[in-house]
Amino acid sequence: MNGSKDVQLEGYGDENLDRSLQGPLSLLFVCSALWLVVSSLLGAVAFWQLKFPGLIDFKAGIQTPYVGWFFDFIHQALNYGRAVAATKSVMIYGWLLQGFLGVAIWLTGRLTKKMICKTGNYFLLGAIALWNIGVLVGLMGVFSGEASGFSGFDFPKYAAAILFTAYAFIGLGMGMRFAKKSCSVPTPSEWYLIGAIFWFPWFFGVAYYFVFCKVVFGVMPALVHAWYIGGLEVLVLGSLAISILYYLVPSILGLALNRVHSAKSAFWFFAFLGAWSGVRHLVGGPLPAWMISSSVVAGVLLLIPGTIIANNQMVPLWSNWCKVKSTPVLWYLATGGVSLLVWISLEAMMSLRGVSAALRFSYFEMGVSAVFEYAFLSMVLFGSIYAILPTLTGKELPCCVKCCSKCQFWWGFCGVITFFTGTFFAGTFMGLGINFAPMAFVATTNLASPFFWLSVAGGIMVLLANLIFVKNVVATVLSACCESNKEGCCS
Amino acid sequence: MNGYGRLFVGILFAFVFSWAALILVPLNQVGNLMPLEDQTSGDLNPPALSGLAKRGSQVYAANGCASCHTQQVRSESGGSDIARQWGARQTVARDYLYHSNPNLGSMRLGPDLANLGVERPDLNVNAGPKKKYDAAGLHQLFYAPRSIKGSSHPSYSFLYEKREIKGANAEVSLILPVGFETEEGKEVVPSEDAKALVAYLLSLNRMYALPEAPVKP
């Protein structure tokens, strides 16, 4: 994405194949980018309330009937607990999953070389619209006090059902295109992609049944929830990100993927350990020790496939450093590849009992989430979308978008590092304070205060980066739409 | 079977393996627990939740209370929870028998609430004379948190209604401290959700002994 030449993704067949997906993928990317901004703003409102808990409590001062009702609704909807639930859910289902579904649909086309027929395109557009309705209905459900209370699975039952139905159409379409493929040897990118396509409905379906159908009580819903979140994070979102890394990095660098054997063993390690790792979030919780211990072991062992995967991405990037320096898409992908390893290391560290005793339940958890959701997943997604958009429109990205994407990278990169640094120190001091029983509990939050502002600064930088991203995506899609309309008129 | 067939079987096996081990086996181990009778008092432990408290649990979940408060006491080696007097012993699976959502929590921006309904020193300062939270105190915290010195609790005033005083409703209207009173002729009354939430919080008591989690004398 330097001035002369954009990302090199040709040579994988038909450009008509990419162009045929322009409508659905443009819709997916624009919607996901908008949800990213919504999530960032909700997060800002929630985070701000930690310092100013009366920020949105307008009720006392406003007596006018209709205006009062409006502000009362704002107070209810954006109250800290609901705003946190909304932030997390919109981030996962509105931005990350939706964005990665777009990337997965594009990648499926590239890997299977099968075009979607016109009817299929309409089905896809309908499913995307349904997915966004599901996210909107879920968000309204959380705002109106119908959240399930399970972080990351907060949307009410009916919204989850809409999401599942929408995914059924999207996933079925991708699965059918793979079923028609004649080649018999899957590539590393396909392992992760096919895995994620199937794992998501399986994990989601089981979690839906156990959490929403009230068939289990006691600690079982919490256990199912932890298992689901582990599967969603590692096997679904993680796999989708790794799949696109395995495809884009060699494609852009113009290299063939070597170390296929190590990549294959890493995949199976990743699949089996990732499926076991979710319960580590309940370290010290009211569950039999063997469940948590086995999950902790799986979480620590994830370092093995994580190292292999990061190594598979970083070695070619490092040996083509000149190209990396001049190609901003690779900045995003390289940051994502390194962040995967950083995240797995932090999670492994957090699941150790000694560390968990001090840092669990502190601000540090927010920092680890930021590394996963932003430094790893979002960075890979930003890079992928910037790489895919020109293939959909058949034209290079406009110059202003290229410049802004560089600007976005540095705001986002510096922002997430600043946010993590702030939460690291705030969480460490807060956690050590809580673990020191003679200290009054209220004093522990004061220990974190100076570093809290560092996190706020990081959060503002990330918000700016996200605003630049949504502007870039919307501008690119709109200019492509205008040009295709003009072409339509001329012809 | 070609490479794709083998891949599908592999990913299915990875899923089923973890589902069987982490959901199916625990379902038999902790999914069928029963309350136990206390040999001295004859009470069943854990005590059942009232209907109002069950509804309160849903209000607690829907308002994201678990994003600031946990409801799990870790063992002495796993943290300072017992030293902070948040509980007398580690909480175990049987403690949550009657909860459709155990609300274990993910952050501790506020103190642990696993035993909020029990008499003990101030939760926030871990010292002072023992006291038991009562409904009036909790309603005050939710409606006007700024009226409590040092509190950074968010306001849940939307769970309350300010209305003209009609008849004698003194037993349900809130008693607010000086500086936070309502206008002349008006009163603040809790909604059903607020009453349910308070009933739920006051029902939180896991101080009884269980065979798998004895209370140290």
Side-chain angles (χ1 to χ4, degrees), chain A residues 82 190 218 290 434 439 441, chain B residues 4 29 63 80 84 99 124:
Chain A
R82 293 189 193 179
E190 285 172 298
W290 72 265
I434 292 177
M439 179 179 273
F441 183 82
Chain B
Y4 288 93
Q29 192 177 351
N63 283 291
S80 64
R84 282 191 174 276
H99 296 248
N124 282 316

Side-chain angles (χ1 to χ4, degrees), chain A residues 27 52 75 126 155 178 202 235 245 414-415:
Chain A
L27 180 63
F52 305 102
H75 180 208
F155 282 166
F178 273 111
W202 293 344
L235 292 190
L245 280 175
C414 297

Side-chain angles (χ1 to χ4, degrees), chain A residues 11-24:
Chain A
Y12 279 78
D14 214 336
E15 70 174 34
N16 289 333
L17 198 141
D18 290 332
R19 298 291 295 275
S20 71
L21 293 167
Q22 186 180 357

Side-chain angles (χ1 to χ4, degrees), chain A residues 86-101:
Chain A
T87 304
K88 184 92 177 169
S89 300
V90 171
M91 173 60 101
I92 291 176
Y93 301 99
W95 160 237
L96 292 172
L97 254 175
Q98 181 163 219
F100 274 118
L101 280 178

